[in-house]
Amino acid sequence: METVAGSVTHDPPPAASGRQGTPLIVTEDDELLDDLLRLCAAAGATPEVHRFVHDSSWEAAPLVLVGDDAARRVRGAARRRGVVLVGRDQDDSGVWRRAVEIGADHVLMLPDGEQWLVDRIADVAEGVGRPALTVGVIGGRGGAGASTLACGLAVASAREGLRTLLVDADPLGGGLDVLLGGETAEGLRWPAFAASRGRVGSGALEESLPRLHSLRVLSWDRGDYVAVPPQAVRAVLAAARRRGGTVVVDLPRRVDDGVAEVLAQLDVGLLVVPAELRSVAAAARVASAVGMVLRDLRVAVRGPYAPGLDDREVARLLGLPLAGEVPVESALLRPDGGKEPPAAAARGPLARFCKGFWERALLEAGAA
């Protein structure tokens, strides 16, 4: 068993089941009840409160908070996941026995475990299920086409009906909303989240962002540069992942504290490398830095190929698994960049590459 923020846990958080609804509080301790109601309010949830167990509420609630005073009264209730035994006496060794008797997943002591409990209640209020499959795209050198691939992956994901968020993590990149033709679209940009601390509501985040091509985009505005602290980056990306679906992040070619926060939450990274020796040499340095944080980094090779190189040779030289060859769409090479975003043509080569990537990645995620 593992001690976390004043609680002892041996199972995943109860919200992992994806059930959305009202948490249940069972206690006769008025002081404890006041604290639990306060924590529920902080998490944006309105609980159901009972002094005794009611079978229908007990079974339906996605999260049950049992006061230590009520442990004896709920011993006969049906065993289920998502039960937290809440107490105050850190020195009471009997609390673990009572937790076993009622089949609790967690034992939590107040006030130490308050933030942990707020997060779990907020997960319930938001109906959190499987977190989003989160993919980062980074160029092996400048101009490698990482932003184009990131946009293409997001457009292809949205076309498949998945909840999709495209995140621009490069404040000096010019803005992915421009690449999507939505620089004037209403919605918040990164500077609005610079003061974020703690937990960001995932539903509120999604609704606040510009909607372009059936996906949500978090990009930068046209104002002066605003530094977003690492803790704000962490909170925003965690909120994005809790909504499920997919999250695509366009990464800069450097690893500072904020980028490290993003890398720590990625499931897969794609390193876009043009197939020529200088690009491979530059990409090796990027891979070395990124690989210190991100375990699953794959190479996506873009032609044309220098003599003696192909996609497999590039992957071998970098010592990375090959994600495939990224095709080039001729429309994106025109001076105006074309009127449609990358991968907008469902039968185009880039769209086919992106669709194939998602099919494989989602299959891998489901098997994990």
Side-chain angles (χ1 to χ4, degrees):
M1 299 210 312
E2 173 186 17
T3 302
V4 180
S7 68
V8 172
T9 171
H10 50 80
D11 276 324
S17 65
R19 290 187 293 177
Q20 184 173 8
T22 300
L24 171 65
I25 298 174
V26 182
T27 184
E28 286 187 314
D29 184 333
D30 291 336
E31 185 177 352
L32 178 61
L33 177 59
D34 287 343
D35 281 338
L36 293 177
L37 290 175
R38 172 177 55 82
L39 297 177
C40 285
T46 302
E48 186 175 347
V49 179
H50 291 297
R51 295 182 179 274
F52 301 93
V53 173
H54 294 261
D55 289 343
S56 58
S57 299
W58 177 268
E59 295 174 1
L63 177 66
V64 179
L65 308 178
V66 178
D68 193 26
D69 67 287
R72 181 174 299 177
R73 297 194 300 278
V74 304
R75 279 189 298 189
R79 293 300 176 99
R80 49 153 294 166
R81 295 187 63 192
V83 176
V84 180
L85 183 62
V86 184
R88 294 179 181 280
D89 187 355
Q90 301 277 0
D91 298 323
D92 180 8
S93 59
V95 69
W96 314 116
R97 173 181 51 78
R98 294 189 290 275
V100 171
E101 290 174 348
I102 67 172
D105 295 333
H106 309 271
V107 174
L108 183 136
M109 293 296 175
L110 298 179
D112 291 353
E114 286 193 354
Q115 186 57 57
W116 183 91
L117 188 54
V118 168
D119 288 345
R120 300 292 77 73
I121 297 170
D123 284 344
V124 166
E126 294 177 355
V128 175
R130 179 189 292 271
L133 177 58
T134 306
V135 177
V137 186
I138 187 169
R141 66 158 170 80
S147 295
T148 298
L149 178 57
C151 288
L153 287 169
V155 169
S157 170
R159 184 165 47 237
E160 295 300 313
L162 297 171
R163 175 185 278 120
T164 305
L165 173 60
L166 176 62
V167 178
D168 185 353
D170 186 0
L172 304 181
L176 292 187
D177 53 352
V178 176
L179 189 54
L180 293 173
E183 60 268 27
T184 61
E186 293 186 0
L188 299 182
R189 267 69 173 179
W190 265 116
F193 299 98
S196 298
R197 300 291 186 275
R199 185 186 180 95
V200 174
S202 60
L205 172 68
E206 183 180 39
E207 292 302 316
S208 72
L209 299 177
R211 182 177 178 85
L212 303 170
H213 307 286
S214 300
L215 58 97
R216 298 285 181 172
V217 181
L218 176 54
S219 189
W220 298 86
D221 60 15
R222 292 335 122 205
D224 293 337
Y225 173 76
V226 174
V228 179
Q231 58 266 36
V233 174
R234 182 193 315 128
V236 169
L237 191 58
R241 298 189 73 229
R242 288 197 301 273
R243 292 295 281 173
T246 66
V247 175
V248 182
V249 187
D250 184 29
L251 292 159
R253 293 178 56 249
R254 65 180 187 280
V255 181
D256 56 22
D257 290 344
V259 174
E261 291 290 352
V262 176
L263 292 173
Q265 297 196 53
L266 295 181
D267 296 304
V268 181
L270 294 179
L271 179 64
V272 184
V273 184
E276 46 94 8
L277 287 176
R278 189 178 180 188
S279 295
V280 173
R285 296 179 65 87
V286 176
S288 176
V290 171
M292 296 177 66
V293 183
L294 177 61
R295 292 184 178 180
D296 190 349
L297 180 64
R298 310 175 190 182
V299 61
V301 182
R302 183 172 65 80
Y305 292 92
L309 287 182
D310 60 19
D311 53 356
R312 295 182 183 277
E313 179 64 9
V314 171
R316 187 192 70 79
L317 290 171
L318 292 171
L320 295 173
L322 178 64
E325 178 184 356
V326 181
V328 177
E329 289 189 340
S330 57
L332 298 177
L333 300 178
R334 298 201 303 264
D336 63 354
K339 295 182 179 180
E340 296 293 333
R347 296 186 178 181
L350 182 58
R352 292 198 301 271
F353 172 87
C354 294
K355 181 178 180 180
F357 170 82
W358 286 123
E359 288 174 348
R360 294 188 298 274
L362 289 167
L363 183 62
E364 291 171 3

